[in-house]
Amino acid sequence: MLQLDVLRANPQDVKKRLTKKNFKQINLVDTIIELDDKRKASKTELEALLAERNKLSKEIGILMKNKDPKAEDVKKRVAEIKDEIDFKEAAVNQFEAELNESLVQLPNLPADIVPEGRTAEDNVVVYQVEKLPAAHQGDLPHWDLAKKYNIIDFELGVKLSGAGFPVYIGKGAVLQRALISFFLSEAAKSGYQEMMLPHMVSEESAYATGQLPDKEGQMYHVTADNLYLIPTAEVPLTNLYRDVILEESDFPIKLTGYTPCFRREAGSYGKDVRGLNRLHQFDKVEIVQLQHPDKSYATLDDMCKHVEGLLKELKLPYRILRLCGGDMSFTSALTYDFEVYSVAQGRWLEVSSVSNFESFQSNRLKLRYRTEDNKKILAHTLNGSALALPRILAGILELNQTEEGIKIPAVLQKYTGFDIIS
RNA sequence: GGAAGAAUGGCAGAGCGGUUUAAUGCGGCGGUCUUGAAAACCGUUGACUGUAACAGGUCCGGGGGUUCGAAUCCCUCUUCUUCCGCCA
């Protein structure tokens, strides 16, 4: 959620930047400022009435103690004020509700270096591996490899749950476990503290990181207990610091966690959902940092370097995109996507997305730090996948297929205990 | 799931209808003393809102109610503790 101060300080600039993000209801900015004006005015009036009531009530207390009959007169006066108070209070509540409802609809403002553009076509490639892997005769896409070596069974998943819930078998399952261990170990090496987290969160948590109300339909909702299955570890990880006031010396806070992720993916069909490309349940190791506003962009670069390091270790051909305004998420100020190239599918697969949210999340989280002169300032939050497993697995299977079988990348072998799937 | 009790400022802990603008202790910060430190003593120390700055307002787990007035009484929800039941 954007800070009201920012809107008020420079509404024209805010509108310009919202436009870059392809946000249509620009006049919402003016509506919000008007609502805030109204809210402030009514609140000042309400508070004057409350002050008057408090004063008179105190007088009544003294009069009653002295058994003074004038107490009854004062009581009558307060009763009159009370009606006004109820009326004003309703008005203030109304304005506050409307203001909040509008404010929540505004997406985060894009950073200056975010490219103009509306779709994925407009994203800027900031790095691409020099040589794409050569195509070989008879290369199979991962869903065929999965079947050939009996390491993933999509039909069994359908039997248990439906499409998008694959069952990993034998070496396939071990490879998943190895990837999780590898990613967590690497994150630990980079100084991230590992957390094991709940896979369901409350409405409050989902709201604080911005999944609600924006992405209501994307999450599985356990209605009996009003809990949401997490779409990413970002939600519990970042909510750990909801309503927290940090000291400046606490920065940076670096957290990591492995969780399964659950996404309804309503409306996604076609070739994009083939095999491991898009699932309802998948595994991911997430990294999160909480940082001082002055350092968050340097931190974003650090996090990108970490992700890049993983892809290099796994020897996967990758590229890095700076997302354009129209393709960025609602909550992000700057996002880099990492994609792995699959020859067998002839396409790039998104395996990580690293973002700086600036104070957009911390505003709702009420995550702040205390400055030397005791001011409380919103911290910046960042997160990234490091990494999401299914497409990494797809990449490994497709890129390392040989006539003998699928070669396991060297860095993973100490976690798998085998070097080939045959 | 059943029964009972509890929830107060960073922590501990009073207050149970009207100078509470929440006592007191610990911790934190500043000072005196000291070569320095400790001890002792003195002072200071919550959050939100609001103002140019004051003032003012709100907050005693959340929400609602009673009252002229609620931390204090009532209802409700949540969480915790203890006991019982069930159970990885």
Side-chain angles (χ1 to χ4, degrees):
Chain A
M1 184 160 66
L2 291 175
Q3 291 173 260
L4 257 177
D5 295 355
V6 175
L7 294 200
R8 300 202 70 111
N10 198 342
Q12 290 318 313
D13 180 57
V14 168
K15 287 184 199 173
K16 208 175 95 191
R17 293 166 74 187
L18 284 173
T19 305
K20 190 180 192 181
K21 207 151 182 188
N22 204 20
F23 182 72
K24 301 287 200 288
Q25 302 157 263
I26 291 301
N27 50 1
L28 206 50
V29 174
D30 297 322
T31 309
I32 287 168
I33 292 172
E34 274 169 39
L35 281 170
D36 190 42
D37 287 338
K38 286 184 191 165
R39 190 207 59 150
K40 274 190 187 168
S42 329
K43 191 151 190 179
T44 306
E45 289 169 25
L46 171 65
E47 285 174 358
L49 290 169
L50 287 174
E52 178 72 5
R53 185 197 66 183
N54 289 349
K55 209 182 85 191
L56 293 177
S57 289
K58 203 164 271 182
E59 275 177 31
I60 292 170
I62 294 164
L63 290 172
M64 301 258 293
K65 198 173 250 175
N66 299 334
K67 303 256 187 316
D68 192 324
K70 271 190 263 176
E72 289 307 314
D73 297 339
V74 184
K75 276 192 192 180
K76 274 181 199 145
R77 278 170 58 201
V78 178
E80 286 164 25
I81 293 179
K82 208 183 165 187
D83 286 341
E84 281 184 71
I85 287 177
D86 288 346
F87 182 74
K88 277 288 171 227
E89 204 171 26
V92 170
N93 287 343
Q94 177 69 22
F95 288 135
E96 267 175 7
E98 282 177 32
L99 177 66
N100 199 263
E101 210 172 283
S102 304
L103 206 49
V104 153
Q105 287 178 46
L106 294 183
N108 201 0
L109 304 178
D112 288 343
I113 61 164
V114 168
E116 298 278 351
R118 314 192 61 180
T119 68
E121 305 292 307
D122 302 315
N123 295 335
V124 172
V125 177
V126 294
Y127 169 83
Q128 181 163 319
V129 67
E130 281 157 32
K131 216 169 65 186
L132 286 181
H136 299 93
Q137 195 69 25
D139 270 357
L140 297 173
H142 68 267
W143 50 86
D144 288 335
L145 293 165
K147 191 158 207 158
K148 178 173 172 187
Y149 295 108
N150 191 33
I151 49 174
I152 308 170
D153 194 321
F154 294 96
E155 283 73 28
L156 272 181
V158 171
K159 176 179 174 182
L160 299 182
S161 311
F165 294 92
V167 172
Y168 301 90
I169 300 168
K171 283 185 173 176
V174 174
L175 185 49
Q176 286 285 103
R177 182 153 52 82
L179 281 165
I180 293 164
S181 295
F182 169 66
F183 292 147
L184 286 173
S185 299
E186 293 299 306
K189 274 190 216 163
S190 297
Y192 292 88
Q193 168 142 72
E194 181 175 344
M195 299 288 199
M196 201 172 259
L197 301 154
H199 298 167
M200 288 191 258
V201 295
S202 64
E203 198 175 353
E204 192 181 6
S205 292
Y207 179 83
T209 34
Q211 276 70 30
L212 292 178
D214 187 47
K215 293 177 191 152
E216 166 93 66
Q218 284 298 337
M219 287 188 291
Y220 288 99
H221 186 196
V222 182
T223 51
D225 296 289
N226 197 26
L227 292 169
Y228 291 87
L229 289 173
I230 55 170
T232 157
E234 162 197 344
V235 181
L237 224 37
T238 312
N239 267 282
L240 254 15
Y241 284 84
R242 190 173 71 224
D243 288 319
V244 168
I245 299 177
L246 296 164
E247 300 302 326
E248 274 188 81
S249 57
D250 293 333
F251 291 127
I253 288 176
K254 306 172 80 172
L255 306 168
T256 186
Y258 152 73
T259 67
C261 301
F262 303 91
R263 299 187 182 178
R264 293 187 61 230
E265 301 293 356
S268 304
Y269 300 103
K271 71 177 163 61
D272 274 3
V273 306
R274 192 86 194 265
L276 295 170
N277 289 345
R278 193 174 293 276
L279 301 171
H280 289 306
Q281 178 181 329
F282 64 95
D283 299 284
K284 179 159 65 68
V285 171
E286 185 80 358
I287 50 174
V288 164
Q289 287 207 42
L290 312 181
Q291 183 57 288
H292 189 284
D294 293 346
K295 295 181 185 159
S296 65
Y297 279 94
T299 295
L300 182 65
D301 290 342
D302 275 359
M303 293 172 76
C304 287
K305 281 278 175 288
H306 177 78
V307 171
E308 198 172 2
L310 298 174
L311 294 171
K312 280 181 177 160
E313 292 260 38
L314 291 169
K315 301 207 180 328
L316 295 169
Y318 66 95
R319 67 176 184 179
I320 306 173
L321 305 173
R322 183 183 295 146
L323 297 194
C324 72
D327 201 32
M328 284 164 69
S329 78
F330 186 79
T331 46
S332 175
L334 178 61
T335 297
Y336 290 100
D337 268 11
F338 288 72
E339 298 184 333
V340 164
Y341 189 74
S342 155
V343 191
Q345 292 188 65
R347 56 188 285 231
W348 292 95
L349 304 172
E350 182 195 330
V351 294
S352 177
S353 191
V354 185
S355 303
N356 186 356
F357 304 100
E358 297 191 0
S359 60
F360 194 82
Q361 281 185 330
S362 54
N363 194 20
R364 276 200 223 175
L365 288 163
K366 296 200 181 66
L367 163 59
R368 292 160 296 170
Y369 68 94
R370 204 187 301 275
T371 62
E372 271 182 21
D373 52 343
N374 203 27
K375 286 221 165 54
K376 283 164 285 287
I377 312 278
L378 294 173
H380 280 193
T381 64
L382 305 96
N383 71 44
S385 1
L387 290 159
L389 292 238
R391 294 180 195 152
I392 288 290
L393 182 59
I396 289 174
L397 298 180
E398 290 174 6
L399 287 152
N400 299 331
Q401 56 184 307
T402 67
E403 287 190 4
E404 300 83 54
I406 292 157
K407 297 267 176 64
I408 304 297
V411 290
L412 288 179
Q413 289 174 16
K414 71 169 171 179
Y415 297 100
T416 54
F418 52 82
D419 58 10
I420 192 162
I421 296 173
S422 54

